Amino acid sequence: QLQLQESGPGLVKPSETLSLTCTVSGGSISGSSYYWGWIRQPPGKGLEWIGNIYYSGDSYYNPSLKSRVTISVDTSKNQFSLKLSSVTATDTAVYYCATLPAAHFDFWGQGTLVSVSS
Amino acid sequence: QSALTQPPSASGSPGQSVTISCTGSSSDVGGYDYVSWYQQHPGKAPKLIIYEVGKRPSGVPDRFSGSKSGNTASLTVSGLQAEDEADYYCSSYAGSKNRVFGGGTKLTVL
């Protein structure tokens, strides 16, 4: 069974770039037909889709975040990554990575809290 | 794209049934049979409980069912149990590889 684990700094300064990595185990990113995605959840609030990527590198982003988001994939390490630039306090959230076998999010990581503060 | 609309809260007594709605538009819920539902307990990651409107992943009790009519999707939880108390989120494909979530519904088992 697929397992996903997010990792990265828990604290980022305003205006800097948030960087997270999702490590996949129990399966190969390049060996599946899944998309791989990022979702976030501000404290006490709902879920927000950030974007998806395919192992080939094709990526798709939430229009509201598109100008600041980059998702990339490293098949040699079985990882995919999220970069969110010019962060502000409103980017404080639990960030989840997940698989998308189709249009739904199947397996989820446990999530990692990223706080934006000076 | 706008978030899908869900009622903030819902409740029911053990053994009863409760239905949670998820309203979108013809650009998302009404346009595709790609509505999914997620259950989230406090401090935990969301868990997929319904996909493609009414399909259940392996291991999800058949007390959970999904349906869609026009631009509104619904999740029904039958035979409510204490462990069903959680937040529930709907999601839909929104065209051009986009996805959108609902604002979430807090289900209370009385």
Side-chain angles (χ1 to χ4, degrees), chain A residues 35 39 41 45-49 52 60-63 96 100 102-106 108-111, chain B residues 1 34 36 38 40 44-48 50-52 89 91 93 96-103:
Chain A
Y35 276 83
I39 305 99
Q41 184 173 36
K45 296 188 178 181
L47 301 169
E48 180 180 32
W49 171 67
N52 305 331
Y60 306 91
Y61 304 130
N62 186 326
Y96 295 100
L100 293 92
H104 55 277
F105 302 92
D106 195 350
W108 294 63
Q110 64 184 27
Chain B
Q1 58 189 25
Y34 288 128
S36 50
Y38 304 85
Q40 186 180 36
K44 301 293 187 182
K47 173 189 173 184
L48 177 69
I50 294 289
Y51 67 100
E52 292 176 9
Y89 294 91
S91 177
Y93 181 69
S96 302
K97 305 291 188 180
N98 293 325
R99 272 79 173 170
V100 62
F101 282 97

Side-chain angles (χ1 to χ4, degrees), chain B residues 54-76:
Chain B
K55 298 179 180 178
R56 274 179 289 105
S58 174
V60 174
D62 59 6
R63 302 184 294 101
F64 293 92
S65 62
S67 63
K68 190 186 83 166
S69 177
N71 296 336
T72 298
S74 299
L75 171 73
T76 298

